[in-house]
Amino acid sequence: MRVLLIEDEQRLAENIVAALRETGLAVDHAPDGEAGSHLAEQGIHDAIVLDLMLPGKSGQQVLRDLRRQKLHTPVLILTAQEGTESIISLLNAGADDYLSKPFDLGELLARIKALIRRAKGVSTPVLTVSDVELNTIQQTVRRRGQFLDLSPTEYRILEYLIHRPRAVVSKQELLEHLYDFDWEHHSNVIEAHVSNLRRKLNIAGTEPLIETLRHRGYRLREETAAS
């Protein structure tokens, strides 16, 4: 999953970016409203963390412009503003959640992950597909009760595919949602990771789970559901 952080306080931004990356999320950072608005309007992020007091363009205006363009990326507001009226105004303008400064970093991470899950139609942190169970809190994967030893990238690919049930997911889509702009894109890297993931998922007595569609992408073979 890929998150956009729009925050002008450099030290705070560095701490948030580091924490998000430690949890396996790809992160882009914009230090002002104009740059943040430009990145947000590309529609490639799974969630946006938006400060209100920004140089160039305010967080409120970034949010209004995003919603005016019918972009539905979930937005969590970081605000130093207090008062019920301010919160109501933000939520009415299209914000999905907010957190008042100063905040606990663990709470911010939990709220971001919850926003991403809800935006993809999942209410709990445990995802299932066929006989595979993926725990997004513990970042563990089991098939038929047997734990699988996946690399961080293999885990992230599987998590993204489970969030796109029955859909054909192209290599380009995986690149856009698993890597940020700091990473040099090579689509053959995705092929290698999917190949390894497919091999690790195919334990004895199970059916192949990931289907490759030539020149189109990948799809989970079994019907998916979230528990």
Side-chain angles (χ1 to χ4, degrees):
M1 301 300 162
R2 185 171 179 176
V3 174
L4 172 61
L5 170 65
I6 309 176
E7 169 62 64
D8 65 323
E9 294 183 40
Q10 188 62 31
R11 186 166 183 175
L12 175 60
E14 289 175 356
N15 289 337
I16 294 174
V17 168
L20 291 173
R21 285 179 174 158
E22 283 182 3
T23 67
L25 295 167
V27 189
D28 296 306
H29 170 230
D32 60 70
E34 291 288 353
S37 191
H38 173 72
L39 291 175
E41 289 168 5
Q42 295 184 34
I44 58 177
H45 297 93
D46 299 288
I48 296 171
V49 180
L50 176 63
D51 186 30
L52 289 183
M53 305 295 288
L54 293 168
K57 179 191 284 191
S58 71
Q60 292 95 330
Q61 190 59 50
V62 172
L63 178 62
R64 282 196 291 269
D65 290 347
L66 197 64
R67 296 309 185 222
R68 188 180 300 116
Q69 296 180 47
K70 309 299 183 186
L71 291 170
H72 304 296
T73 309
V75 175
L76 185 151
I77 297 289
L78 298 179
T79 175
Q81 298 179 5
E82 297 181 352
T84 303
E85 289 187 3
S86 173
I87 293 169
I88 291 173
S89 175
L90 289 168
L91 294 174
N92 286 339
D96 298 273
D97 197 0
Y98 71 94
L99 200 54
S100 299
K101 293 182 177 179
F103 53 83
D104 180 86
L105 199 52
E107 182 178 0
L108 173 64
L109 297 178
R111 285 176 181 261
I112 292 171
K113 289 187 175 182
L115 274 184
I116 293 174
R117 288 199 306 270
R118 289 201 298 271
K120 297 183 183 303
V122 180
S123 58
T124 72
V126 178
L127 314 177
T128 60
V129 52
S130 184
D131 53 4
V132 174
E133 181 180 280
L134 184 148
N135 188 311
T136 61
I137 302 298
Q138 301 172 355
Q139 296 195 356
T140 57
V141 176
R142 295 191 300 176
R143 187 165 196 188
R144 293 191 175 178
Q146 178 177 332
F147 282 100
L148 305 181
D149 184 19
L150 304 186
S151 73
T153 301
E154 291 159 5
Y155 169 87
R156 292 166 63 205
I157 290 172
L158 181 60
E159 181 183 14
Y160 189 82
L161 290 176
I162 292 179
H163 277 303
R164 301 275 282 115
R166 296 175 295 280
V168 178
V169 178
S170 69
K171 286 188 292 186
Q172 182 62 35
E173 182 177 345
L174 285 173
L175 285 169
E176 288 180 347
H177 287 268
L178 299 182
Y179 298 99
D180 52 49
F181 285 116
D182 292 335
W183 188 78
E184 189 175 353
H185 295 184
H186 296 291
S187 62
N188 58 344
V189 171
I190 290 293
E191 291 175 342
H193 285 301
V194 171
S195 176
N196 289 335
L197 174 60
R198 182 187 290 113
R199 175 175 52 79
K200 291 180 180 180
L201 285 171
N202 290 344
I203 62 176
T206 63
E207 295 294 326
L209 195 66
I210 298 178
E211 178 183 13
T212 299
L213 296 97
R214 187 175 175 81
H215 302 309
R216 296 173 63 193
Y218 307 100
R219 181 171 57 193
L220 292 180
R221 296 179 63 91
E222 302 292 332
E223 185 171 343
T224 60
S227 64

